[in-house]
Amino acid sequence: MLGLTIREVSAALREGRISPTELCRKCLNRIKRTRHLNAYIAVTEELALKQAGEAEARLLRGAPKGPLDGIPFAVKDNFCTENIKTTCASRMLKDYTPPYTATVVQKLLNQGAILMGKTNMDEFAMGAGSTDGAFGPVRNPWSYAAPYRERTGAAPDSDWVVTGGSSGGSAAAVASLTSYLALGSDTGGSTRNPGALCGVVALKPTYGLLSRHGLIPLVNSMDVPGIMTRSVSDAAIVLGILQGQDTRDSTTTAAPSSLTELPEHFDVKNICVGIPQEYHAPGLSEETLAQWSRVADMFERAGARVKRVSLPHTQHSIVCYHVLCHAEVASNMARFDGLEYGHRSEEDSSTEAMYASSRHEGFNDVVRGRILSGNYFLLKQNSEHYFVKAQRVRRLIAEDFKRAFGSGVDVLLTPTTLADAARYSDFTQEDNRTRSAQEDVFTQPVNMAGLPAVSVPTALSSRGLPIGLQLIGPALQDKKLLGVAQWIEQRVGFPSITGAIKHMQDGSFDSFIIRHCPCEIEMRPVLCFMTC
Amino acid sequence: GPGLSLSLSLSLSLSLSLSLSLSLSLSLSDPQQLVGVVGLEVHAQINSNTKLFSGSSVRFSAPPNSLVSPFDASLPGTLPVLNKRCVEAAVMTALALNCTINKKSLFDRKHYFYADLPAGYQITQQRRPIAVDGTLTYSILGGKKRSQVIRRTSTIKQIQLEQDSGKSLHDDLRSQTLIDLNRAGVGLMELVMEPDMSCGEEAAAAVRELQLILQALGTCQANMSEGQLRVDANVSVHKPGEPLGVRTEVKNINSVRFLSRAIDYEIQRHIQVLQRGGTVQNETRAFDSKSGETIPMRDKEGLQDYRFMPEPNLPPLIVYEDNASLPTGIDACQAVVVQEIRAGLPELPSIKRDRLVQTYGILPEHSFTLVNEDGLVEYFEAVLKATTKEPRKVIGWVTNELVGHLKQRDMSVSQSPISPSALAELLERQESGHISSSVAKQVFQEMWRSPGKTASQIIQEQDLGLVSDATQLHSICQKVVDSHPVEVHAIRNGNKKVLNKLMGLVQKETKGRADPVLVRAILQEKTS
């Protein structure tokens, strides 16, 4: 039951095969048994059971609110939730309880979805590993699944791999079957990156299509609430519910269409898939490259036009992304002074001293480092050289995409990450800045341009860890993008973790079965273990 | 003699100082020739029900922190939503000040840490404000009797929309700072004026005119003591034709009168510093209204780098010229249309003054008094409606008697115990020859003291009516003529002016009630 998609479990709820309360309890148990993943900062058990009871009453009356009624979900801990602590995985907001709920969370609650808890992340979403939060790192559920254990002979306690980030807790929640969907946030890849590394579908919608009201910002001009699910069709259902103009967020736009259901069969014959040559970047693993070619070949064989395109300014994107990101971080973090809310230091010799030590105690090194460099970029004598220049390059990057889509390309196909997930012990060899630059290299240009992109799990690597590919579409073409993504999903046969993920101390590995088995697809040797 | 030597030494010292100052002006600074240069930055609180970017109410003197939304307190995750009313108020103000409206303007963040600025930045319009390049025309009174109206025009560089800050209350005893965020996020129009004024009087007249314009528009209540209008003055001195000197910024000025005094004090201070051979520090100073001096402020701005950055949560602000230029799909009630606002502009004070001068034939300086006092034009016009007396004769009653009495008691026109119709009745009695002008003034004072009593009642009760009984006046006049033989003799010798003295004596006898026309005729007859 826990391994089902939203669509499947929703049907089960309606048909009475399971009740929302039973489902909720199952998920709560699962959360307890997977506590070692550290996916949740807070589990809202009492509230979840109360909501489940209400959903149950509606379903019994035969009057569910919609496809999400009674469906457990998780929310990254940078979305405000009324009367529920919202920490951003920071000491600064360790005890902060917002008086209001983020629009996207409220929309899910209004649909009867059941909030299981708030998920772990990098502090203030600054990171690409979910290793730099005040509540400790998140562990990738695939670390405890059979393929990784069997293929690498990894030791259960020490060789676990990271989830990617910064929405690692949300990705882990969906992948470890404790929630059917989770909200992440995506500023430079923070939803797609852990989505790829944890083997879940991760959608970054067009900028402005989803409200940011209540999302504690990283970079306002790039942040988008992200959607993580186990299937593309589930992502479409959730997008349909969350999208649309919000009077409380002036940067939102009206949805181009009321997105309901994706067509079961998407015809790729008439589409053109662009392969950006610049994404053939140093550090790209052979296996990821192989997956990229494999899916490109699939398109070609199915009759789609596949062509090489150039996005010439791609190489400048990551450094400009960092300049813009740090500048906005410096600005957005200025409010955390310990006066109105958040951590306040004992230091009280002067207001300035209190600010300084509250901020020093409240923020980790990563946040403080970005504030420092961001303020440097915004100084009067530097702004033109760094900030304004980076903005100009941002425009060039957006134009690169525009030109590609203007030349007849419908979607761009790229890797989501350079490689599969790193072991925690390897990942932490490098500092946060280096890791962010490596991990976001394929994802952040999309945020610079405000475009929709989705990461689709494609295969397991030779280490038994997920590899994802990214599809990028023109602005507001989210639905078409998902149509193409579903076409891939239907053909790659990515396996799903089902059965119990046992506590790491059990020493036993999880059983592992294959859900999709599209036999018509010819698989490459490296992946043959997961084909039938 | 001693007188001569004195005048000689005087002229000597004069010529000495003259040559000294000449040589000084040739070298560096001649303090005699230094003149003040004044530019104003005016923060006008927009008269609107809610704040610039949130739905919190705006109210003066509400309980502390009772008008604070999550956005105003900068709770994380909250976003600004622009208040249309504030944009319309800024556009209307800009139109009244002959500005060019930027059809597209932008919002920026200006960063600094201060306890009453919860977000750590203020949202303002640094790169592209809503309006630029306007003028403010105002007048000062000059000439010997200060009755000559001199028009001046100052340039308005720009008008920008921005957020107000909260208020800090420092409790030095307990070394605490208390923060009230009621004001945080209230909409402000900042008017930046070019440094083209030269003294406190000009600045005060300009600000007074601005107050009247804002009040006429209804875009700002413009009460300086309540902080709805805050004026900072940038002051420097220089010799005409040379670059401006180092400037100081004077803050904390809460009335038009203090503005004038603060600026003039500051100009003199600059001149004295330079005279002593010192240099003026670029600093922010506060005006102390008790001492009449400016003092350096504990500088919260010091060498601030505001690290300006575009506000990413607000798209460009677009206003449209007319309904025809609205793009399709735009909800008309969501759009700000300049032409509609222009059509709704009320009569501005300068136009009102011209109209008053032309319509009623009153003097320009009287039109200033009328327009300066809230409600006085309406009062004046109401009196005119109820009397046959000429406007030129009514104006003095309103601008002198009424305003004089009001000022003495610090009252507004609406608080006057004498209504326009009551004053009109009094003036009618005078116009019809019922009472003399001096009695009329007496009656006015009595009316002021006993609100509700009509002029007629007072005239009757105190028997103030004009004495026009010929027999009675004849006998009084005869008494005066008999007791002043010298004056009578002078009149008979052709000095007709002396007749006025006799007239005065008769009026004294009758306590000013004698009919002057009749008295003159009788006296002429008796002295011929």
Side-chain angles (χ1 to χ4, degrees):
Chain A
M1 189 60 70
L2 290 180
L4 300 180
T5 63
I6 291 175
R7 190 191 287 267
E8 290 159 352
V9 80
S10 185
L13 285 169
R14 278 157 206 255
E15 289 157 16
R17 281 184 275 140
I18 190 165
S19 79
T21 308
E22 284 170 323
L23 186 64
C24 180
R25 284 196 197 285
K26 273 180 186 288
C27 286
L28 287 168
N29 284 335
R30 179 101 180 161
I31 289 172
K32 279 173 197 141
R33 280 185 291 125
T34 56
R35 190 133 280 172
H36 59 282
L37 299 177
N38 202 17
Y40 289 83
I41 290 174
V43 179
T44 49
E45 178 165 353
E46 210 174 305
L47 176 74
L49 286 168
K50 181 173 161 279
Q51 288 178 322
E54 289 162 7
E56 192 154 333
R58 286 191 295 270
L59 282 156
L60 282 173
R61 283 204 314 273
K65 287 184 166 183
L68 296 188
D69 206 348
I71 308 284
F73 75 105
V75 173
K76 188 178 181 179
D77 209 20
N78 58 353
F79 286 94
C80 291
T81 42
E82 188 177 352
N83 298 327
I84 299 167
K85 274 185 192 172
T86 299
T87 67
C88 282
S90 175
R91 254 176 75 80
M92 181 58 85
L93 293 179
K94 188 166 58 71
D95 298 312
Y96 175 64
T97 305
Y100 74 101
T101 299
T103 299
V104 286
V105 178
Q106 191 61 53
K107 281 185 168 181
L108 292 176
L109 293 173
N110 292 348
Q111 288 288 317
I114 292 161
L115 178 65
M116 306 307 290
K118 306 293 292 290
T119 59
N120 203 350
M121 55 190 281
D122 287 300
E123 181 162 335
F124 281 102
M126 297 183 206
S130 300
T131 53
D132 282 321
F135 303 105
V138 187
R139 300 176 178 212
N140 193 323
W142 289 88
S143 312
Y144 304 95
Y148 177 68
R149 294 294 176 190
E150 285 165 4
R151 272 150 211 281
T152 63
D157 284 337
S158 58
D159 291 333
W160 53 275
V161 298
V162 301
T163 54
S166 62
S167 313
S170 286
V174 175
S176 64
L177 315 180
T178 59
S179 283
Y180 290 85
L181 81 110
L183 293 181
S185 61
D186 195 312
T187 309
S190 279
T191 295
R192 287 160 289 156
N193 174 288
L197 300 188
C198 293
V200 300
V201 174
L203 172 67
K204 176 240 175 261
T206 300
Y207 181 82
L209 192 56
L210 268 60
S211 170
R212 292 180 294 114
H213 170 74
L215 166 61
I216 298 179
L218 175 59
V219 184
N220 301 279
S221 63
M222 301 191 209
D223 291 343
V224 183
I227 297 166
M228 292 168 152
T229 54
R230 291 184 206 134
S231 77
V232 174
S233 137
D234 284 357
I237 293 171
V238 178
L239 178 66
I241 285 160
L242 298 185
Q243 69 179 4
Q245 200 150 23
D246 180 7
T247 52
R248 284 165 300 185
D249 177 358
S250 309
T251 62
T252 50
T253 45
S257 67
S258 55
L259 204 150
T260 45
E261 302 231 323
L262 291 178
E264 192 62 34
H265 300 288
F266 188 89
D267 188 4
V268 296
K269 271 207 178 68
N270 295 320
I271 70 160
C272 175
V273 178
I275 308 290
Q277 61 187 45
E278 288 79 6
Y279 282 59
H280 205 303
L284 180 63
S285 77
E286 272 181 39
E287 285 186 278
T288 305
L289 176 60
Q291 286 304 318
W292 191 12
S293 331
R294 171 193 165 212
V295 173
D297 290 349
M298 269 184 205
F299 275 114
E300 208 150 36
R301 276 199 301 277
R305 202 152 67 88
V306 177
K307 79 168 191 183
R308 245 159 80 114
V309 296
S310 173
L311 302 169
H313 297 94
T314 302
Q315 53 166 326
H316 305 297
S317 192
I318 188 80
V319 63
C320 293
Y321 167 76
H322 281 147
V323 170
L324 296 174
C325 172
H326 294 196
E328 280 199 39
V329 162
S331 175
N332 287 332
M333 294 294 140
R335 70 189 57 216
F336 297 103
D337 55 17
L339 283 188
E340 285 84 9
Y341 46 82
H343 174 72
R344 187 191 290 189
S345 165
E346 299 291 317
E347 170 68 57
D348 63 354
S349 60
S350 76
T351 309
E352 287 76 15
M354 193 260 282
Y355 284 167
S357 64
S358 295
R359 290 165 67 79
H360 184 87
E361 293 162 13
F363 293 140
N364 69 5
D365 289 350
V366 177
V367 177
R368 290 206 309 274
R370 291 199 189 183
I371 291 172
L372 183 68
S373 54
N375 277 321
Y376 177 81
F377 298 143
L378 287 176
L379 284 177
K380 203 172 178 185
Q381 80 258 26
N382 296 339
S383 177
E384 182 68 29
H385 186 64
Y386 293 99
F387 185 74
V388 176
K389 201 182 268 180
Q391 275 185 313
R392 269 188 225 121
V393 176
R394 181 178 185 176
R395 224 162 292 136
L396 293 175
I397 285 157
E399 279 161 18
D400 278 357
F401 282 112
K402 224 176 180 177
R403 207 172 305 115
F405 291 124
S407 74
V409 168
D410 295 289
V411 288
L412 294 164
L413 177 69
T414 79
T416 310
T417 55
L418 288 166
D420 58 2
R423 283 195 309 176
Y424 176 73
S425 50
D426 294 332
F427 189 86
T428 47
Q429 292 300 304
E430 298 280 6
D431 65 13
N432 179 292
R433 205 183 70 78
T434 312
R435 280 299 179 192
S436 297
Q438 292 166 347
E439 295 294 326
D440 293 341
V441 66
F442 298 141
T443 46
Q444 45 71 35
V446 167
N447 299 80
M448 297 277 271
L451 303 176
V454 59
S455 176
V456 186
T458 313
L460 291 187
S461 68
S462 56
R463 294 164 68 220
L465 296 172
I467 292 173
L469 290 182
Q470 173 177 238
L471 284 170
I472 304 168
L476 296 173
Q477 302 258 351
D478 303 59
K479 185 178 179 179
K480 185 175 182 183
L481 186 72
L482 289 176
V484 182
Q486 192 178 46
W487 186 90
I488 298 178
E489 177 185 60
Q490 286 164 345
R491 281 154 186 83
V492 292
F494 183 79
S496 156
I497 303 177
T498 54
I501 292 179
K502 290 185 179 159
H503 192 276
M504 55 188 288
Q505 268 128 24
D506 291 359
S508 62
F509 302 141
D510 296 314
S511 64
F512 192 82
I513 64 156
I514 292 158
R515 190 153 51 81
H516 297 289
C517 190
C519 299
E520 78 271 22
I521 309 294
E522 181 206 333
M523 293 299 167
R524 303 238 162 155
V526 65
L527 298 159
C528 63
F529 74 91
M530 49 171 282
T531 59
C532 44
Chain B
L4 185 72
S5 69
L6 187 70
S7 74
L8 219 150
S9 72
L10 249 176
S11 75
L12 257 174
S13 74
L14 266 175
S15 68
L16 191 70
S17 76
L18 192 69
S19 66
L20 192 71
S21 70
L22 265 173
S23 69
L24 266 172
S25 79
L26 280 174
S27 59
L28 264 172
S29 60
D30 175 11
Q32 306 303 316
Q33 285 185 25
L34 288 168
V35 294
V37 177
V38 181
L40 302 179
E41 278 176 29
V42 181
H43 287 91
Q45 244 181 29
I46 298 170
N47 188 15
S48 100
N49 294 329
T50 54
K51 295 183 180 180
L52 182 56
F53 296 121
S54 80
S56 310
S57 297
V58 176
R59 219 166 44 239
F60 184 71
S61 76
N65 294 312
S66 62
L67 310 173
V68 185
S69 72
F71 176 80
D72 305 327
S74 80
L75 295 197
T78 54
L79 298 168
V81 180
L82 183 58
N83 179 345
K84 187 182 168 212
R85 155 71 192 159
C86 292
V87 178
E88 288 170 337
V91 169
M92 184 179 248
T93 305
L95 289 174
L97 296 172
N98 313 302
C99 293
T100 305
I101 310 285
N102 279 330
K103 294 289 147 51
K104 176 182 165 183
S105 60
L106 303 168
F107 289 98
D108 303 282
R109 291 181 179 181
K110 176 182 179 177
H111 299 87
Y112 58 92
F113 281 104
Y114 206 68
D116 54 26
L117 186 76
Y121 57 82
Q122 175 198 38
I123 303 179
T124 178
Q125 295 194 297
Q126 189 238 357
R127 287 166 301 163
R128 198 167 165 79
I130 186 143
V132 292
D133 196 21
T135 55
L136 172 61
T137 300
Y138 58 95
S139 298
I140 53 171
L141 296 177
K144 270 186 194 152
K145 294 169 71 186
R146 298 186 60 76
S147 61
Q148 194 189 337
V149 175
I150 303 164
R151 248 169 224 252
R152 294 240 196 280
T153 296
S154 276
T155 302
I156 291 166
K157 188 169 167 244
Q158 65 186 56
I159 299 179
Q160 65 204 38
L161 281 165
E162 61 184 35
Q163 297 172 297
D164 209 339
S165 63
K167 282 180 183 168
S168 299
L169 252 163
H170 301 288
D171 178 349
D172 288 334
L173 263 178
R174 269 176 265 179
S175 78
Q176 280 184 332
T177 299
L178 302 169
I179 309 293
D180 178 8
L181 294 180
N182 280 352
R183 206 182 65 179
V186 170
L188 294 177
M189 298 177 277
E190 179 176 347
L191 290 84
V192 182
M193 297 175 70
E194 295 289 1
D196 51 16
M197 291 182 256
S198 63
C199 63
E201 189 192 0
E202 282 184 359
V207 168
R208 181 68 195 121
E209 185 69 10
L210 181 63
Q211 275 182 313
L212 291 172
I213 291 170
L214 295 172
Q215 284 162 350
L217 298 173
T219 56
C220 171
Q221 294 179 348
N223 186 333
M224 281 183 83
S225 62
E226 285 186 6
Q228 290 143 350
L229 197 75
R230 300 194 284 276
V231 183
D232 301 336
N234 291 313
V235 176
S236 63
V237 297
H238 78 146
K239 280 187 260 175
E242 291 187 1
L244 301 186
V246 176
R247 62 168 221 202
T248 53
E249 188 176 10
V250 187
K251 287 178 181 278
N252 201 27
I253 304 168
N254 60 14
S255 78
V256 171
R257 199 157 49 91
F258 290 156
L259 174 67
S260 175
R261 281 173 56 190
I263 289 171
D264 289 339
Y265 174 88
E266 191 60 11
I267 291 172
Q268 284 313 309
R269 193 184 67 81
H270 282 216
I271 291 175
Q272 279 164 22
V273 167
L274 295 175
Q275 264 179 336
R276 284 199 305 268
T279 46
V280 175
Q281 298 298 311
N282 181 338
E283 63 185 353
T284 304
R285 298 175 71 88
F287 179 67
D288 178 1
S289 58
K290 285 200 186 92
S291 65
E293 294 173 354
T294 67
I295 42 178
M297 274 175 97
R298 196 177 66 97
D299 207 352
K300 73 173 170 188
E301 314 217 332
L303 257 179
Q304 268 295 351
D305 190 320
Y306 291 121
R307 292 159 285 135
F308 282 103
M309 188 190 89
E311 167 55 66
N313 294 319
L314 290 166
L317 165 58
I318 310 285
V319 298
Y320 301 94
E321 182 53 40
D322 48 33
N323 279 314
S325 57
L326 284 180
T328 48
I330 282 257
D331 185 357
C333 73
Q334 281 293 307
V336 173
V337 179
V338 174
Q339 213 166 63
E340 278 176 13
I341 296 170
R342 191 179 282 123
L345 279 176
E347 187 180 47
L348 293 177
S350 63
I351 307 290
K352 192 180 257 185
R353 282 190 289 258
D354 290 349
R355 175 175 66 83
L356 291 169
V357 169
Q358 275 172 15
T359 313
Y360 302 119
I362 58 174
L363 294 171
E365 67 254 40
H366 286 145
S367 72
F368 274 89
T369 313
L370 282 183
V371 172
N372 266 344
E373 300 302 322
D374 193 28
L376 197 60
V377 172
E378 291 74 15
Y379 189 102
F380 174 63
E381 291 185 321
V383 175
L384 290 183
K385 270 198 192 123
T387 175
T388 52
K389 208 173 173 77
E390 263 186 76
R392 279 195 299 186
K393 290 183 181 166
V394 175
I395 189 69
W397 281 93
V398 172
T399 57
N400 296 334
E401 304 304 319
L402 179 72
V403 171
H405 276 75
L406 290 173
K407 285 261 158 83
Q408 229 170 49
R409 289 156 191 83
D410 205 18
M411 289 162 74
S412 67
V413 175
S414 62
Q415 293 171 304
S416 165
I418 301 178
S419 70
S421 59
L423 177 60
E425 191 205 331
L426 169 64
L427 299 184
E428 271 307 286
R429 302 304 296 251
Q430 190 204 351
E431 189 66 11
S432 64
H434 218 82
I435 50 172
S436 68
S437 64
S438 57
V439 167
K441 284 181 185 166
Q442 229 177 294
V443 175
F444 182 91
Q445 291 197 12
E446 191 54 37
M447 286 167 77
W448 188 277
R449 276 194 295 270
S450 337
K453 270 195 185 168
T454 65
S456 308
Q457 281 173 322
I458 292 166
I459 292 165
Q460 201 181 7
E461 277 171 21
Q462 305 195 5
D463 194 18
L464 295 172
L466 216 53
V467 179
S468 30
D469 176 50
T471 332
Q472 195 186 347
L473 288 180
H474 260 287
S475 91
I476 296 169
C477 288
Q478 192 59 55
K479 230 193 282 171
V480 169
V481 167
D482 291 347
S483 54
H484 294 83
V486 181
E487 284 79 2
V488 173
H489 183 71
I491 295 165
R492 287 197 175 125
N493 279 343
N495 193 351
K496 301 287 181 201
K497 274 186 191 165
V498 180
L499 190 74
N500 289 338
K501 185 178 178 189
L502 300 185
M503 295 246 330
L505 291 165
V506 174
Q507 288 296 7
K508 202 176 168 189
E509 283 289 308
T510 60
K511 291 184 183 134
R513 291 161 51 226
D515 181 339
V517 182
L518 213 53
V519 172
R520 178 171 290 271
I522 296 169
L523 283 176
Q524 273 169 349
E525 185 199 307
K526 290 190 190 295
T527 56
S528 59

